[in-house]
Amino acid sequence: MKKWAVLLLLPALMLAPGVHSAPVSSPGVHPQRLDAFLSHVEANNGGIGSLSIFKGGEQVYARSFGQKNLPGVAYDDNSRYQIASVTKLVTAILAFKLIEEGRLGLDNRLSDFLPGMPSAQAITIRHLLAHSSGLGNFAIRDGAVWVVDPVSQQEILQEIRRQGIAFEPGERTAYSNSAYFLLRMILEQRYGRDYHDIVAQEIAQPLDLLDFASAGSPPVNTFRSYAFTGTWTEIKDIDYANVIGVGDIASTTRDLNVLINRLFQYRILRRDSLEQMLPAPGNGWGRGLAAFPYGTHRFVGHGGDVLGSHARVIYNPDDEVSIAYATNGERIPTDAFLKAVVGIVYGEDAAFPEIK
């Protein structure tokens, strides 16, 4: 299995030629155009997934597509998708909740919690959150994804130690699954609870997210992953118990949108905490939030990709538009799909991506 296939945020945005619509100047959602796009995807077996759009904190569009093309699969409006590395947004939020309470600091060192890890005396919470620790990707070993079957936490820690660091902490930025794995362990130490309990008690229950849960719960009514080979065929994905706090949460797209809207309404964290999560101008990564530019539209949020499931949740602070997308079987690359959706929402000359 190729190493690019797991738990990566893919910043490249491409759009292929297709059907066009007339431009307008502000977001109007354009539900008929969205319906036409998703019906096109469904009719051509272009993907399986769900799309939710919020404006001003309220859902203004929602549709699932493609599930009827899965033979013998039962589902309903509350069926969840694996959201992969969008989980890291939740882990970052939970870290900042502790920081607000004075129970954790950005300058606390990894050695305070896990002294046996590489460069533990130099790596801080700030580095872990911002992907600037130098730590790598434990999920890839010898060039392949090895966490598709259950492995122990000690095996994963051993792999993190074996990989060491690629650069000195703070020297530059490189996306790190290992950093968030260790950050999750630190959260469990500070909260005194398992990650799935922290997510339930600090996030899901206060926000009334009924279809949002970590793998430790475990989530029920969750879609499996599929690939298209003439028909949709179930594939083996990673074992989500191996990526707790890194990429294990399952959710509906509506619950994802509630999460990011409440975050930007300062109903989860204070304004100063949210500002510390945001990427600085010109930077792609902040501390838990990444930049998603689509032309002149500047979104922030998070994405996640595993072997068969993919998710994005993005928010535009300028006009309070958020988009949550999840798929458990794609033929259109996620970023191309989202660029088309953003173009439709803003009434621009957006193309339907090619279905490959």
Side-chain angles (χ1 to χ4, degrees), residues 234-283:
E234 185 177 331
I235 63 172
K236 185 174 183 178
D237 217 319
I238 64 170
D239 188 309
Y240 289 98
N242 296 330
V243 291
I244 303 293
V246 177
D248 68 295
I249 290 176
S251 174
T252 60
T253 51
R254 183 187 182 280
D255 278 1
L256 283 181
N257 258 334
V258 171
L259 173 71
I260 202 162
N261 276 268
R262 299 302 177 261
L263 178 63
F264 278 87
Q265 293 166 346
Y266 315 118
R267 293 170 61 177
I268 306 175
L269 298 172
R270 301 191 306 250
R271 180 189 292 267
D272 61 310
S273 297
L274 175 58
E275 289 174 349
Q276 292 184 80
M277 294 181 67
L278 293 167
N283 291 343

Side-chain angles (χ1 to χ4, degrees), residues 95-104 268-274:
F96 274 99
K97 285 175 72 70
L98 287 176
I99 291 167
E100 287 186 352
E101 296 168 5
R103 298 164 61 191
L104 189 68
I268 306 175
L269 298 172
R270 301 191 306 250
R271 180 189 292 267
D272 61 310
S273 297
L274 175 58

Side-chain angles (χ1 to χ4, degrees), residues 17-335:
V19 182
H20 294 73
S21 63
V24 297
S25 59
S26 61
V29 180
H30 306 282
Q32 291 182 336
R33 176 85 171 131
L34 287 168
D35 280 341
F37 173 48
L38 297 182
S39 293
H40 169 75
V41 172
E42 182 172 76
N44 291 278
N45 273 310
I48 311 158
S50 175
L51 180 69
S52 168
I53 300 172
F54 275 39
K55 169 69 175 174
E58 299 296 332
Q59 184 164 266
V60 294
Y61 182 86
R63 178 172 166 181
S64 295
F65 58 92
Q67 291 86 357
K68 69 180 184 181
N69 295 329
L70 297 177
V73 174
Y75 59 91
D76 56 38
D77 290 342
N78 303 109
S79 296
R80 312 177 197 197
Y81 295 81
Q82 295 293 161
I83 63 170
S85 283
V86 179
T87 300
K88 293 184 178 71
L89 170 59
V90 178
T91 298
I93 289 170
L94 292 170
F96 274 99
K97 285 175 72 70
L98 287 176
I99 291 167
E100 287 186 352
E101 296 168 5
R103 298 164 61 191
L104 189 68
L106 285 172
D107 294 321
N108 286 161
R109 299 192 177 276
L110 180 57
S111 56
D112 297 335
F113 308 95
L114 298 163
M117 291 297 103
S119 295
Q121 292 187 334
I123 294 172
T124 65
I125 299 297
R126 188 188 309 272
H127 294 139
L128 297 175
L129 284 164
H131 296 288
S132 60
S133 67
L135 295 165
N137 181 3
F138 70 87
I140 305 298
R141 187 171 67 184
D142 300 326
V145 179
W146 67 289
V147 291
V148 294
D149 295 308
V151 299
S152 71
Q153 182 164 276
Q154 286 306 311
E155 288 177 275
I156 292 173
L157 292 175
Q158 181 179 352
E159 179 62 19
I160 293 173
R161 286 191 290 265
R162 187 190 70 81
Q163 291 183 9
I165 60 169
F167 54 85
E168 291 302 314
E171 183 177 272
R172 57 188 174 90
T173 301
Y175 191 77
S176 175
N177 287 312
S178 298
Y180 271 75
F181 187 90
L182 299 179
L183 184 58
R184 183 267 298 173
M185 294 182 67
I186 292 169
L187 295 183
E188 290 181 329
Q189 286 188 34
R190 278 291 187 255
Y191 278 102
R193 290 171 269 161
D194 290 337
Y195 185 79
H196 66 275
D197 285 330
I198 304 169
V199 169
Q201 295 170 24
E202 303 292 333
I203 302 292
Q205 292 171 13
L207 298 182
D208 198 26
L209 305 181
L210 301 180
D211 301 302
F212 189 95
S214 166
S217 294
V220 296
N221 192 16
T222 301
F223 283 111
R224 310 285 289 182
S225 292
Y226 290 81
F228 189 76
T229 55
T231 58
W232 290 105
T233 304
E234 185 177 331
I235 63 172
K236 185 174 183 178
D237 217 319
I238 64 170
D239 188 309
Y240 289 98
N242 296 330
V243 291
I244 303 293
V246 177
D248 68 295
I249 290 176
S251 174
T252 60
T253 51
R254 183 187 182 280
D255 278 1
L256 283 181
N257 258 334
V258 171
L259 173 71
I260 202 162
N261 276 268
R262 299 302 177 261
L263 178 63
F264 278 87
Q265 293 166 346
Y266 315 118
R267 293 170 61 177
I268 306 175
L269 298 172
R270 301 191 306 250
R271 180 189 292 267
D272 61 310
S273 297
L274 175 58
E275 289 174 349
Q276 292 184 80
M277 294 181 67
L278 293 167
N283 291 343
W285 277 105
R287 302 182 187 100
L289 287 167
F292 285 84
Y294 294 93
T296 60
H297 312 297
R298 304 295 175 181
F299 289 81
V300 292
H302 214 295
D305 303 88
V306 283
L307 299 178
S309 294
H310 312 269
R312 301 287 187 272
V313 59
I314 56 176
Y315 182 91
N316 187 336
D318 292 336
D319 50 35
E320 298 182 337
V321 167
S322 68
I323 300 170
Y325 167 64
T327 173
N328 59 316
E330 70 166 19
R331 295 175 68 195
I332 300 170
T334 302
D335 288 309

